[in-house]
Amino acid sequence: MFRSRNKLSAPRVLSDMKQKQKRYEALVHAFHADIYRYAYYLAKDKSVAEDIAQETFLRAWRSLDALKDEKAAKSWLITIVRRENARRFEKKQLDIVEYDEAALVDETCFAESSVHQNEIHRLLAGLSLEYREPLILQLIFGYSGDEIAAQLDLNKNTVMTRLFRARNQLKDTLSKQPEVRGHRNG
């Protein structure tokens, strides 16, 4: 009797595993670029962002059965990314030398669009995490105020205030900057 039950359940187990593999592959295909991009904004380092994204999808595979609503997949993955980023600070780290990233990059070798992207990244990086995170969730992922509030476990009014302040800080920073030499001749 024991053997016959195992023989009957083996095809079902294989079918379940194949189904889980298909769900996982669809998840990775749909969200890998967004997850990497968000990890990069958090870590500001390509290799660290790759590690965070990889660990995110590994944890997603392990917990895929817990994802009941496919519509919540992106939000679920964002939560995993945030936790993975926080975990890297829990680990013992070597002394980190602070440096001005903008000073190390010779922007003259980039195309104009790359210069603008670098400038936007630098401006976003200049915001404190409490303002940067909701703004990135809105700009990159297109989340609404309600979705951001749920994602960050905040009140919607708090999120809207932080978005407002983040935008104002960016405007103030941009208005105080002298125009980049060579970009505009007036």
Side-chain angles (χ1 to χ4, degrees):
M1 185 173 188
F2 182 69
R3 285 185 181 187
S4 65
R5 188 168 38 193
N6 281 343
K7 286 182 182 178
L8 293 175
S9 65
R12 183 175 177 211
V13 169
L14 289 175
S15 174
D16 289 348
M17 288 175 61
K18 287 180 183 177
Q19 188 65 22
K20 181 178 179 181
Q21 181 68 27
K22 285 180 183 178
R23 285 180 66 209
Y24 177 74
E25 288 174 1
L27 191 73
V28 172
H29 180 71
F31 300 114
H32 185 270
D34 288 339
I35 295 305
Y36 171 78
R37 190 170 35 245
Y38 186 54
Y40 183 76
Y41 271 106
L42 292 175
K44 296 177 196 67
D45 181 275
K46 288 181 181 181
S47 63
V48 173
E50 289 168 1
D51 290 345
I52 291 172
Q54 184 175 12
E55 188 63 31
T56 296
F57 283 107
L58 177 62
R59 288 185 186 273
W61 168 258
R62 291 178 186 154
S63 303
L64 193 58
D65 295 331
L67 179 64
K68 301 299 181 200
D69 182 8
E70 299 295 325
K71 293 177 184 174
K74 192 173 189 178
S75 178
W76 179 62
L77 288 170
I78 294 292
T79 300
I80 296 172
V81 169
R82 290 178 67 234
R83 289 180 180 157
E84 282 308 309
N85 186 55
R87 276 187 191 94
R88 73 185 178 104
F89 293 105
E90 293 172 359
K91 299 173 184 173
K92 183 180 178 185
Q93 293 190 354
L94 301 174
D95 291 338
I96 298 173
V97 177
E98 292 291 327
Y99 63 93
D100 184 359
E101 189 174 312
L104 296 176
V105 177
D106 181 10
E107 291 183 352
T108 59
C109 68
F110 292 111
E112 189 169 316
S113 64
S114 294
V115 171
H116 292 300
Q117 287 176 350
N118 288 341
E119 183 66 13
I120 290 168
H121 182 71
R122 189 184 65 75
L123 290 171
L124 286 173
L127 294 173
S128 67
L129 183 61
E130 71 177 326
Y131 297 132
R132 181 176 60 234
E133 197 166 32
L135 188 60
I136 289 172
L137 288 172
Q138 186 181 55
L139 295 176
I140 293 178
F141 296 105
Y143 282 0
S144 68
D146 290 325
E147 292 169 325
I148 296 169
Q151 189 68 36
L152 299 178
D153 196 27
L154 296 170
N155 179 300
K156 182 183 176 187
N157 292 334
T158 303
V159 168
M160 299 312 285
T161 299
R162 288 181 182 183
L163 288 170
F164 177 78
R165 288 179 181 169
R167 284 193 175 94
N168 281 343
Q169 285 181 15
L170 289 176
K171 285 179 194 174
D172 289 346
T173 303
L174 285 170
S175 69
K176 292 177 185 175
Q177 286 184 345
E179 292 189 29
V180 177
R181 190 180 314 166
H183 282 279
R184 295 187 184 161
N185 294 326

